PDB file of all heavy atoms in Angstrom:
ATOM      1  N   LEU B  27      38.095  23.886  47.981  1.00 98.00           N
ATOM      2  CA  LEU B  27      37.498  22.922  47.058  1.00 98.00           C
ATOM      3  C   LEU B  27      36.321  22.208  47.725  1.00 98.00           C
ATOM      4  O   LEU B  27      35.264  22.013  47.106  1.00 98.00           O
ATOM      5  CB  LEU B  27      38.541  21.892  46.612  1.00 98.00           C
ATOM      6  CG  LEU B  27      39.674  22.388  45.715  1.00 98.00           C
ATOM      7  CD1 LEU B  27      40.627  21.242  45.379  1.00 98.00           C
ATOM      8  CD2 LEU B  27      39.149  23.022  44.432  1.00 98.00           C
ATOM      9  N   ILE B  28      36.508  21.848  48.980  1.00 98.00           N
ATOM     10  CA  ILE B  28      35.434  21.157  49.704  1.00 98.00           C
ATOM     11  C   ILE B  28      34.205  22.069  49.817  1.00 98.00           C
ATOM     12  O   ILE B  28      33.072  21.639  49.583  1.00 98.00           O
ATOM     13  CB  ILE B  28      35.930  20.720  51.094  1.00 98.00           C
ATOM     14  CG1 ILE B  28      36.980  19.612  50.943  1.00 98.00           C
ATOM     15  CG2 ILE B  28      34.763  20.242  51.972  1.00 98.00           C
ATOM     16  CD1 ILE B  28      37.709  19.263  52.219  1.00 98.00           C
ATOM     17  N   ALA B  29      34.438  23.340  50.144  1.00 98.00           N
ATOM     18  CA  ALA B  29      33.315  24.276  50.296  1.00 98.00           C
ATOM     19  C   ALA B  29      32.585  24.471  48.970  1.00 98.00           C
ATOM     20  O   ALA B  29      31.342  24.555  48.933  1.00 98.00           O
ATOM     21  CB  ALA B  29      33.823  25.612  50.835  1.00 98.00           C
ATOM     22  N   THR B  30      33.330  24.544  47.878  1.00 98.00           N
ATOM     23  CA  THR B  30      32.686  24.712  46.568  1.00 98.00           C
ATOM     24  C   THR B  30      31.849  23.491  46.221  1.00 98.00           C
ATOM     25  O   THR B  30      30.719  23.606  45.743  1.00 98.00           O
ATOM     26  CB  THR B  30      33.750  24.966  45.475  1.00 98.00           C
ATOM     27  OG1 THR B  30      34.504  26.125  45.824  1.00 98.00           O
ATOM     28  CG2 THR B  30      33.090  25.202  44.123  1.00 98.00           C
ATOM     29  N   TRP B  31      32.407  22.298  46.477  1.00 98.00           N
ATOM     30  CA  TRP B  31      31.630  21.071  46.194  1.00 98.00           C
ATOM     31  C   TRP B  31      30.345  21.072  47.022  1.00 98.00           C
ATOM     32  O   TRP B  31      29.259  20.784  46.496  1.00 98.00           O
ATOM     33  CB  TRP B  31      32.471  19.820  46.487  1.00 98.00           C
ATOM     34  CG  TRP B  31      31.848  18.558  45.949  1.00 98.00           C
ATOM     35  CD1 TRP B  31      32.106  17.973  44.746  1.00 98.00           C
ATOM     36  CD2 TRP B  31      30.824  17.754  46.569  1.00 98.00           C
ATOM     37  NE1 TRP B  31      31.322  16.859  44.588  1.00 98.00           N
ATOM     38  CE2 TRP B  31      30.518  16.694  45.681  1.00 98.00           C
ATOM     39  CE3 TRP B  31      30.144  17.826  47.786  1.00 98.00           C
ATOM     40  CZ2 TRP B  31      29.569  15.713  45.978  1.00 98.00           C
ATOM     41  CZ3 TRP B  31      29.175  16.857  48.068  1.00 98.00           C
ATOM     42  CH2 TRP B  31      28.904  15.816  47.177  1.00 98.00           C
ATOM     43  N   GLU B  32      30.469  21.379  48.302  1.00 98.00           N
ATOM     44  CA  GLU B  32      29.285  21.325  49.178  1.00 98.00           C
ATOM     45  C   GLU B  32      28.266  22.406  48.816  1.00 98.00           C
ATOM     46  O   GLU B  32      27.063  22.211  49.014  1.00 98.00           O
ATOM     47  CB  GLU B  32      29.717  21.434  50.643  1.00 98.00           C
ATOM     48  CG  GLU B  32      30.466  20.172  51.096  1.00 98.00           C
ATOM     49  CD  GLU B  32      30.840  20.185  52.560  1.00 98.00           C
ATOM     50  OE1 GLU B  32      30.786  21.278  53.183  1.00 98.00           O
ATOM     51  OE2 GLU B  32      31.193  19.109  53.083  1.00 98.00           O
ATOM     52  N   SER B  33      28.741  23.531  48.269  1.00 98.00           N
ATOM     53  CA  SER B  33      27.791  24.570  47.851  1.00 98.00           C
ATOM     54  C   SER B  33      26.945  24.084  46.678  1.00 98.00           C
ATOM     55  O   SER B  33      25.814  24.528  46.488  1.00 98.00           O
ATOM     56  CB  SER B  33      28.529  25.857  47.481  1.00 98.00           C
ATOM     57  OG  SER B  33      29.189  25.726  46.230  1.00 98.00           O
ATOM     58  N   LEU B  34      27.498  23.168  45.905  1.00 98.00           N
ATOM     59  CA  LEU B  34      26.779  22.641  44.744  1.00 98.00           C
ATOM     60  C   LEU B  34      25.911  21.438  45.093  1.00 98.00           C
ATOM     61  O   LEU B  34      24.773  21.320  44.619  1.00 98.00           O
ATOM     62  CB  LEU B  34      27.792  22.206  43.676  1.00 98.00           C
ATOM     63  CG  LEU B  34      28.316  23.291  42.756  1.00 98.00           C
ATOM     64  CD1 LEU B  34      29.575  22.812  42.038  1.00 98.00           C
ATOM     65  CD2 LEU B  34      27.255  23.659  41.742  1.00 98.00           C
ATOM     66  N   PHE B  35      26.449  20.531  45.889  1.00 98.00           N
ATOM     67  CA  PHE B  35      25.810  19.232  46.068  1.00 98.00           C
ATOM     68  C   PHE B  35      25.369  18.960  47.506  1.00 98.00           C
ATOM     69  O   PHE B  35      24.868  17.875  47.802  1.00 98.00           O
ATOM     70  CB  PHE B  35      26.754  18.132  45.584  1.00 98.00           C
ATOM     71  CG  PHE B  35      27.221  18.324  44.164  1.00 98.00           C
ATOM     72  CD1 PHE B  35      28.523  18.715  43.893  1.00 98.00           C
ATOM     73  CD2 PHE B  35      26.344  18.147  43.106  1.00 98.00           C
ATOM     74  CE1 PHE B  35      28.952  18.918  42.589  1.00 98.00           C
ATOM     75  CE2 PHE B  35      26.762  18.347  41.792  1.00 98.00           C
ATOM     76  CZ  PHE B  35      28.077  18.738  41.538  1.00 98.00           C
ATOM     77  N   GLY B  36      25.544  19.924  48.390  1.00 97.00           N
ATOM     78  CA  GLY B  36      25.091  19.764  49.764  1.00 97.00           C
ATOM     79  C   GLY B  36      26.172  19.210  50.673  1.00 97.00           C
ATOM     80  O   GLY B  36      27.244  18.797  50.230  1.00 97.00           O
ATOM     81  N   ASP B  37      25.857  19.226  51.968  1.00 96.00           N
ATOM     82  CA  ASP B  37      26.862  18.784  52.944  1.00 96.00           C
ATOM     83  C   ASP B  37      26.312  17.680  53.840  1.00 96.00           C
ATOM     84  O   ASP B  37      26.661  17.589  55.023  1.00 96.00           O
ATOM     85  CB  ASP B  37      27.376  19.961  53.761  1.00 96.00           C
ATOM     86  CG  ASP B  37      26.269  20.654  54.537  1.00 96.00           C
ATOM     87  OD1 ASP B  37      25.082  20.273  54.361  1.00 96.00           O
ATOM     88  OD2 ASP B  37      26.579  21.569  55.316  1.00 96.00           O
ATOM     89  N   ASN B  38      25.461  16.825  53.271  1.00 95.00           N
ATOM     90  CA  ASN B  38      24.940  15.697  54.044  1.00 95.00           C
ATOM     91  C   ASN B  38      26.071  14.753  54.431  1.00 95.00           C
ATOM     92  O   ASN B  38      26.931  14.432  53.618  1.00 95.00           O
ATOM     93  CB  ASN B  38      23.910  14.905  53.225  1.00 95.00           C
ATOM     94  CG  ASN B  38      22.671  15.727  52.946  1.00 95.00           C
ATOM     95  OD1 ASN B  38      22.351  16.635  53.700  1.00 95.00           O
ATOM     96  ND2 ASN B  38      21.999  15.427  51.847  1.00 95.00           N
ATOM     97  N   GLU B  39      25.999  14.294  55.671  1.00 94.00           N
ATOM     98  CA  GLU B  39      27.005  13.341  56.151  1.00 94.00           C
ATOM     99  C   GLU B  39      27.072  12.110  55.242  1.00 94.00           C
ATOM    100  O   GLU B  39      28.157  11.600  54.939  1.00 94.00           O
ATOM    101  CB  GLU B  39      26.654  12.930  57.588  1.00 94.00           C
ATOM    102  CG  GLU B  39      27.609  11.930  58.199  1.00 94.00           C
ATOM    103  CD  GLU B  39      28.960  12.553  58.562  1.00 94.00           C
ATOM    104  OE1 GLU B  39      28.992  13.778  58.803  1.00 94.00           O
ATOM    105  OE2 GLU B  39      29.957  11.812  58.587  1.00 94.00           O
ATOM    106  N   GLN B  40      25.914  11.670  54.806  1.00 93.00           N
ATOM    107  CA  GLN B  40      25.848  10.455  53.982  1.00 93.00           C
ATOM    108  C   GLN B  40      26.577  10.631  52.644  1.00 93.00           C
ATOM    109  O   GLN B  40      27.001   9.647  52.036  1.00 93.00           O
ATOM    110  CB  GLN B  40      24.378  10.107  53.731  1.00 93.00           C
ATOM    111  CG  GLN B  40      24.165   8.723  53.165  1.00 93.00           C
ATOM    112  CD  GLN B  40      22.686   8.427  52.988  1.00 93.00           C
ATOM    113  OE1 GLN B  40      21.854   9.338  52.974  1.00 93.00           O
ATOM    114  NE2 GLN B  40      22.353   7.154  52.856  1.00 93.00           N
ATOM    115  N   ASP B  41      26.695  11.878  52.197  1.00 95.00           N
ATOM    116  CA  ASP B  41      27.312  12.138  50.892  1.00 95.00           C
ATOM    117  C   ASP B  41      28.822  12.340  50.974  1.00 95.00           C
ATOM    118  O   ASP B  41      29.446  12.628  49.950  1.00 95.00           O
ATOM    119  CB  ASP B  41      26.676  13.376  50.250  1.00 95.00           C
ATOM    120  CG  ASP B  41      25.280  13.099  49.716  1.00 95.00           C
ATOM    121  OD1 ASP B  41      24.951  11.925  49.482  1.00 95.00           O
ATOM    122  OD2 ASP B  41      24.527  14.078  49.531  1.00 95.00           O
ATOM    123  N   ARG B  42      29.414  12.194  52.146  1.00 94.00           N
ATOM    124  CA  ARG B  42      30.863  12.438  52.257  1.00 94.00           C
ATOM    125  C   ARG B  42      31.691  11.614  51.271  1.00 94.00           C
ATOM    126  O   ARG B  42      32.603  12.145  50.631  1.00 94.00           O
ATOM    127  CB  ARG B  42      31.340  12.188  53.691  1.00 94.00           C
ATOM    128  CG  ARG B  42      30.838  13.225  54.685  1.00 94.00           C
ATOM    129  CD  ARG B  42      31.553  14.559  54.484  1.00 94.00           C
ATOM    130  NE  ARG B  42      30.805  15.663  55.065  1.00 94.00           N
ATOM    131  CZ  ARG B  42      30.774  15.976  56.363  1.00 94.00           C
ATOM    132  NH1 ARG B  42      31.466  15.247  57.219  1.00 94.00           N
ATOM    133  NH2 ARG B  42      30.067  16.992  56.797  1.00 94.00           N
ATOM    134  N   PRO B  43      31.396  10.297  51.131  1.00 94.00           N
ATOM    135  CA  PRO B  43      32.185   9.538  50.140  1.00 94.00           C
ATOM    136  C   PRO B  43      31.962  10.046  48.714  1.00 94.00           C
ATOM    137  O   PRO B  43      32.891  10.045  47.901  1.00 94.00           O
ATOM    138  CB  PRO B  43      31.668   8.103  50.293  1.00 94.00           C
ATOM    139  CG  PRO B  43      30.977   8.063  51.607  1.00 94.00           C
ATOM    140  CD  PRO B  43      30.448   9.439  51.849  1.00 94.00           C
TER     141      PRO B  43
END
Side-chain angles (χ1 to χ4, degrees):
Chain B
L27 292 179
I28 292 170
T30 302
W31 192 94
E32 291 184 345
S33 74
L34 276 164
F35 305 107
D37 60 355
N38 294 334
E39 179 73 26
Q40 193 178 18
D41 286 339
R42 291 288 160 79

